[in-house]
Amino acid sequence: MKKIVIIGGVAGGASCAARLRRLDEEANIIMFERGEYISYANCGLPYHVGDLIKSRDALLLQSPEAMKNKYNIDVRVKNEVTSIDRENKKVTVRRLDSGETYEETYDTLVISTGSSPVRPPIPGIGSSRIRTLWTVPDTDRIRALIKENKIKTAAVIGGGFIGLEMAENLRHAGLSVSLIEMLDQVMTPVDYEMAQLLHEHILQNGVDLHLSDGVAAFEDQDGSVAITLKSGKTISSELVILSIGVRPNSELAKAAGLSVNERGGIVVDEYLRTSDPDIYAVGDVIQVDDLIFQEPAMVPLAGPANKQGRIAADNIAGAQETYKKTQGTSVAKVFDLAAASTGANEKALIKRGLQKGRDYESIIITQNSHAGYYPGAVPITLKLLFSTDGKKIFGAQIVGRDGVDKRIDTLAVSIRLGAGISDLKSLELAYAPPFSSAKDPVNMAGFVAENLITGKVAFSSWDAVEQNPETVLLDVREDAELMAFSLPNAKHIPLGQLRNRLKELDPSKKIIVFCAIGVRAYNAARLLMQNGFHNVKLYPGGARFYQSTHYTAEGVLPSEQTVYSDSGQMETKNIPTSAMRLDCSGMQCPGPIMKVFETMKEMPDGAVMEVSASDPGFTRDIGAWCRRTGNELMACELRGKDYVALVKKGTPAAPVKTEAAEGKTIIVFSGDLDKVLASFIIANGAAAMGRPVTMFFTFWGLTALRKSEKQPVRKSLVESMFGFMLPRGSKKLKLSKMNMGGMGTAMMKKIMNDKNVDSLETLIQKAMKSGVKIVACTMSMDVMGIRSEELIDGVELGGVGAYLGDAEESNVNLFI
């Protein structure tokens, strides 16, 4: 009789044990689990914390008794394997309740020890209010802590799958939540611009989001934890959830001399055998091969772990089943959005030296989840990465409210089976109005990718507007759409008028075409390209995608008319009954705004309209539209799957609310002392007059914000050389003219001192105290090799989108 010992349960171990029994009724199968539970839905734990899954028992998939009765498996919980004796083929086990140890022999051993949450050595991390969520007991402790201490505030450290799920569920439980992520984005499997859709949505749901800011220290206070971030910012929270990654539990394997990689993952062959042929390993603890690049990787996902458990069981029973690599297909719920990915993202392609245009291409499209005329259609945004010849698909990412999972699964299967772009075009997918469109978004991705490959269209990058300020921006939307959102400095020609107004455009200029989601822009681009315009590109995903990738935190927080109840749902108060109801559900952008615009013209002054729309961007659009048209947004909330707004038509006595833009924005490009001095003198003057001021430092201007002391940051050789050559702070800047080897600069500083003119350093401090917003361009920092740790305290990090948001509300914009 063959004796198989399995170390660890849950996904890999439990599935391996059950499969083994189905294959071999005579085998002696023993499973050791150091915890209380051998098989539970760990992916469902956050939803039990948020009380969406109310029954704790629903999370428990198999009990030791059930495994014994159904499969005749000897399950020993609270029994920890402490060592493996490979030579004598036995393991040492400690009973956790009594501390007693004993030995158990094996013919074949399976290691399924999984992974554990990372707890880095951050000062104060041992606080009892700092928790991780990984097991059922973890869930019990967190729920008890919230209930017994009547906790109202929580901070989640880390924006991965569990971090996002915990932020959502704590919010649903009625807590005020802060989400802290040291990287510049959440959900690293997707690229930055796709993550921006999530960032905006997280803020819309009332979560305080902190990006590019890691934790420096924790400190217990009276009833709370003070979280000090590396930026110097401090957040106080009654509960902290750590979700900053996992590490493989491979200590047993290492001690037994099995081969492990540098990250601790157990090295296995295609049959899931370790370096010892009598020992198999499965799940989070092993190293797998990446499907796209055929390279070793660590991918801790439940789906692969279950499959590996089954394959290991087959091979123990005598088969020669191989594990055919991991492609990392995943999906996560982020409030009302789903975010999914499969294969490689663009960051991974660039990291491996692939160049866009030479080795790969990418497209971003926005499509409806099903036929737009059927109620409930909502937009989904899809990014596809593929080889320049279209024969290989590298990966895909999708963000949307509905239909995301089935599209990512379709693309995952396509990648797995080696499909190319032409295959996506040819896929015959199920269609009926409630489920899809005649041209499914996956088909549309194929069509658009083919157009790109064959030169019928070219796409700009998502950040092309700020990267190419000399480019002409052509907006082909209708007039009413501009009331909700208009692109800065764009040329507006509605598509229906473009053919007759071509003379207004210069064929020699670079042109980027916008519409709401990209369809009208494509038609406009084809029109231009066939009329002598040779440098025309589409903005991917349209103005809607631009808004989400260039959001400002102030612009997406819940409106003043909307509050959160203890249940986490939005509710409205003191709202009058509407005179009419307008159902725009299922309408594709710009449908809802256009319908509101047309209907409002026929309504009497002071009348209230209730508008419902399924488009998530409607809440932002209706607010901007009301501000620009003089109508009043009385409430905006989520009801079921629809976004509902109450709008009161403005009266002649209540003129359009077009507050004069009084802000001042200054782009500081130069690193010359005199020019930087001038910029701060102007900024301080404007601040003294009570005007909001934003100073956006980019390229050489960043040198004025550097700390004078060298900071201990890790850089590449080129970045270090660049940093050495750049001036280190304001005291090292030189005059643009008459510097004379530094003598002119010294004379200038002396004269300023004699005349009681503030030094540059004093001007900077005064600007900060006066509320001047000083923003360092993150893109320029990357190019210049400057790290955030090298900048003086009080400097904010941001992209051009953040600057443009302030510029739109300014009547003075200077470039220095």
Side-chain angles (χ1 to χ4, degrees):
M1 181 189 297
K2 193 170 187 178
K3 186 176 182 181
I4 301 104
V5 169
I6 301 173
I7 308 174
V10 197
S15 63
C16 180
R19 176 68 172 173
L20 268 171
R21 176 55 72 219
R22 288 191 290 266
L23 296 175
D24 187 350
E25 180 61 26
E26 301 300 321
N28 180 12
I29 306 171
I30 303 173
M31 180 189 296
F32 293 108
E33 170 57 53
R34 65 182 177 184
E36 272 184 80
Y37 306 96
I38 58 160
S39 182
Y40 58 89
N42 52 355
C43 295
L45 299 180
Y47 300 99
H48 185 45
V49 171
D51 212 33
L52 290 176
I53 298 176
K54 296 187 180 298
S55 171
R56 180 180 183 275
D57 292 341
L59 300 170
L60 306 178
L61 305 179
Q62 289 284 359
S63 66
E65 296 77 15
M67 289 291 280
K68 178 65 176 177
N69 295 334
K70 292 180 182 178
Y71 301 106
N72 191 27
I73 294 171
D74 182 2
V75 178
R76 305 178 192 176
V77 295
K78 296 186 180 180
N79 277 247
E80 181 180 16
V81 175
T82 57
S83 66
I84 302 170
D85 182 349
R86 291 167 52 196
E87 184 176 353
N88 296 301
K89 299 184 74 171
K90 61 184 179 181
V91 296
T92 301
V93 187
R94 181 173 69 246
R95 292 190 175 96
L96 297 183
D97 285 340
S98 65
E100 173 193 357
T101 62
Y102 64 97
E103 294 180 341
E104 193 72 57
T105 60
Y106 65 84
D107 295 313
T108 303
L109 184 67
V110 180
I111 300 175
S112 178
T113 46
S115 56
S116 296
V118 172
R119 291 183 70 96
I122 299 173
I125 201 169
S127 168
S128 61
R129 290 180 175 269
I130 301 175
R131 300 287 181 171
T132 58
L133 180 69
W134 203 243
T135 65
V136 174
D138 290 340
T139 310
D140 295 338
R141 284 189 285 267
I142 292 171
R143 282 172 60 92
L145 193 61
I146 293 173
K147 183 177 181 179
E148 292 169 6
N149 292 275
K150 294 182 171 53
I151 285 176
K152 295 296 183 183
T153 59
V156 178
I157 316 298
F161 289 96
I162 295 178
L164 291 175
E165 290 166 354
M166 281 302 296
E168 175 184 352
N169 281 282
L170 290 169
R171 191 76 187 95
H172 278 305
L175 278 67
S176 296
V177 179
S178 298
L179 179 60
I180 300 163
E181 169 56 61
M182 68 179 295
L183 301 178
D184 62 355
Q185 69 167 88
V186 301
M187 191 73 72
T188 55
V190 305
D191 289 311
Y192 177 78
E193 68 272 24
M194 297 294 283
Q196 284 283 74
L197 304 177
L198 302 178
H199 300 158
E200 180 187 40
H201 189 62
I202 290 166
L203 288 167
Q204 286 173 336
N205 279 276
V207 173
D208 191 11
L209 182 62
H210 302 267
L211 297 172
S212 302
D213 209 352
V215 176
F218 298 105
E219 183 180 355
D220 261 331
Q221 294 181 336
D222 184 23
S224 65
V225 177
I227 309 165
T228 302
L229 305 184
K230 291 184 178 178
S231 64
K233 195 179 300 181
T234 300
I235 297 167
S236 180
S237 180
E238 297 165 279
L239 172 66
V240 178
I241 304 294
L242 286 181
S243 180
I244 53 181
V246 297
R247 57 171 181 79
N249 296 327
S250 56
E251 294 81 4
L252 273 175
K254 291 178 189 176
L258 297 176
S259 179
V260 298
N261 65 18
E262 66 279 359
R263 294 174 62 185
I266 301 174
V267 178
V268 295
D269 64 13
E270 58 185 329
Y271 303 104
L272 301 174
R273 289 185 304 230
T274 67
S275 51
D276 184 325
D278 293 319
I279 302 179
Y280 289 76
V282 298
D284 292 3
V285 75
I286 70 168
Q287 169 185 289
V288 295
D289 285 332
D290 171 72
L291 178 71
I292 304 300
F293 298 111
Q294 311 295 312
E295 296 175 353
M298 299 291 293
V299 186
L301 291 172
N306 274 281
K307 295 179 184 69
Q308 292 156 10
R310 178 185 175 91
I311 291 170
D314 286 349
N315 293 334
I316 292 169
Q320 289 290 297
E321 186 81 16
T322 60
Y323 180 68
K324 296 177 174 61
K325 304 177 175 55
T326 298
Q327 66 190 84
T329 304
S330 61
V331 64
K333 180 179 180 293
V334 184
F335 291 97
D336 300 309
L337 289 180
S341 66
T342 187
N345 57 30
E346 192 164 8
K347 292 173 292 191
L349 298 181
I350 294 171
K351 184 178 180 180
R352 285 164 175 79
L354 277 68
Q355 292 186 19
K356 191 169 185 177
R358 185 194 72 183
D359 304 304
Y360 76 92
E361 288 287 2
S362 72
I363 60 164
I364 295 174
I365 63 171
T366 300
Q367 293 287 303
N368 268 354
S369 56
H370 60 245
Y373 57 82
Y374 187 87
V378 288
I380 60 175
T381 302
L382 187 156
K383 178 173 182 177
L384 189 69
L385 296 152
F386 51 93
S387 60
T388 51
D389 61 6
K391 293 181 179 179
K392 182 180 178 65
I393 301 172
F394 291 115
Q397 303 155 39
I398 310 178
V399 176
R401 272 185 62 187
D402 189 30
V404 169
D405 54 342
K406 73 175 183 177
R407 271 60 186 236
I408 205 69
D409 284 344
T410 302
L411 289 164
V413 171
S414 299
I415 292 172
R416 173 69 67 171
L417 298 181
I421 294 303
S422 62
D423 298 301
L424 296 187
K425 291 168 42 192
S426 304
L427 288 175
E428 185 175 336
L429 303 171
Y431 161 62
F435 305 106
S436 184
S437 300
K439 295 176 182 177
D440 187 87
V442 174
N443 295 134
M444 287 301 299
F447 297 147
V448 174
E450 182 193 52
N451 285 340
L452 176 61
I453 292 169
T454 57
K456 294 183 180 66
V457 68
F459 287 93
S460 73
S461 62
W462 68 272
D463 57 351
V465 174
E466 51 267 32
Q467 298 295 340
N468 303 279
E470 76 288 351
T471 299
V472 175
L473 308 178
L474 176 60
D475 190 336
V476 298
R477 295 176 298 155
E478 299 301 317
D479 292 340
E481 294 175 77
L482 271 64
M483 296 179 189
F485 171 72
S486 59
L487 290 154
N489 305 315
K491 173 72 173 178
H492 177 228
I493 305 178
L495 177 60
Q497 303 175 24
L498 181 59
R499 187 171 279 101
N500 298 321
R501 295 175 61 181
L502 291 176
K503 291 183 179 179
E504 297 180 28
L505 300 171
D506 185 347
S508 66
K509 295 286 184 68
K510 297 178 182 178
I511 298 176
I512 296 177
V513 191
F514 284 81
C515 69
I517 62 172
V519 178
R520 285 172 290 172
Y522 172 62
N523 290 320
R526 292 300 302 156
L527 173 61
L528 292 172
M529 293 169 72
Q530 294 177 80
N531 280 276
F533 292 80
H534 302 295
N535 201 341
V536 180
K537 293 186 177 182
L538 261 69
Y539 186 83
R544 174 54 49 81
F545 190 63
Y546 177 91
Q547 285 177 274
S548 291
T549 54
H550 295 76
Y551 74 90
T552 61
E554 295 80 6
V556 298
L557 288 175
S559 65
E560 292 180 1
Q561 295 87 358
T562 303
V563 296
Y564 280 88
S565 66
D566 289 340
S567 65
Q569 297 296 313
M570 287 190 281
E571 55 184 26
T572 55
K573 297 181 179 180
N574 302 320
I575 300 301
T577 303
S578 56
M580 68 169 299
R581 289 179 171 83
L582 190 63
D583 186 2
C584 299
S585 297
M587 284 188 180
Q588 186 172 342
C589 179
I593 286 295
M594 297 292 290
K595 192 72 174 175
V596 170
F597 173 67
E598 293 165 2
T599 307
M600 188 67 78
K601 290 189 293 185
E602 307 300 323
M603 292 178 59
D605 294 337
V608 176
M609 172 197 296
E610 180 182 281
V611 192
S612 60
S614 51
D615 180 3
F618 174 71
T619 55
R620 174 182 54 207
D621 287 351
I622 193 65
W625 184 85
C626 287
R627 287 194 298 272
R628 296 189 180 201
T629 58
N631 298 295
E632 181 182 354
L633 179 63
M634 306 187 73
C636 194
E637 64 177 342
L638 180 64
R639 294 184 192 169
K641 291 187 176 181
D642 282 342
Y643 295 90
V644 181
L646 289 175
V647 181
K648 183 178 180 180
K649 185 172 181 178
T651 63
V656 175
K657 299 176 183 178
T658 52
E659 297 177 2
E662 296 183 340
K664 318 297 176 188
T665 51
I666 305 173
I667 301 173
V668 185
F669 178 85
S670 173
D672 295 328
L673 175 63
D674 44 338
K675 295 176 181 178
V676 177
L677 274 168
S679 67
F680 273 100
I681 290 170
I682 295 169
N684 282 327
M689 295 173 65
R691 303 294 189 256
V693 182
T694 296
M695 301 181 73
F696 188 74
F697 287 75
T698 182
F699 286 97
W700 312 113
L702 289 168
T703 59
L705 303 181
R706 297 182 77 194
K707 294 176 180 176
S708 57
E709 306 84 11
K710 185 176 181 180
Q711 301 299 306
V713 293
R714 298 185 64 177
K715 294 186 178 184
S716 66
L717 177 60
V718 173
E719 289 174 331
S720 297
M721 294 175 64
F722 217 147
F724 177 77
M725 292 185 288
L726 291 172
R728 196 181 301 282
S730 57
K731 294 181 179 179
K732 297 294 184 181
L733 302 186
K734 300 176 181 178
L735 294 176
S736 60
K737 298 182 183 295
M738 298 176 58
N739 183 55
M740 299 180 293
M743 186 167 63
T745 302
M747 292 171 60
M748 170 71 77
K749 291 181 178 180
K750 183 179 187 306
I751 292 171
M752 289 173 62
N753 183 64
D754 293 343
K755 301 283 186 179
N756 293 317
V757 177
D758 288 335
S759 67
L760 177 55
E761 293 73 39
T762 301
L763 288 171
I764 293 173
Q765 292 302 315
K766 283 187 174 181
M768 289 182 172
K769 289 180 180 178
S770 300
V772 173
K773 185 192 297 185
I774 299 178
V775 182
C777 175
T778 51
M779 182 278 294
S780 299
M781 289 172 62
D782 288 339
V783 172
M784 307 288 282
I786 297 174
R787 297 284 188 267
S788 58
E789 294 87 346
E790 297 180 87
L791 301 181
I792 59 177
D793 295 336
V795 174
E796 299 181 20
L797 304 183
V800 176
Y803 155 72
L804 290 175
D806 289 343
E808 272 199 314
E809 299 176 0
S810 301
N811 59 7
V812 173
N813 185 32
L814 303 177
F815 185 93
I816 298 177

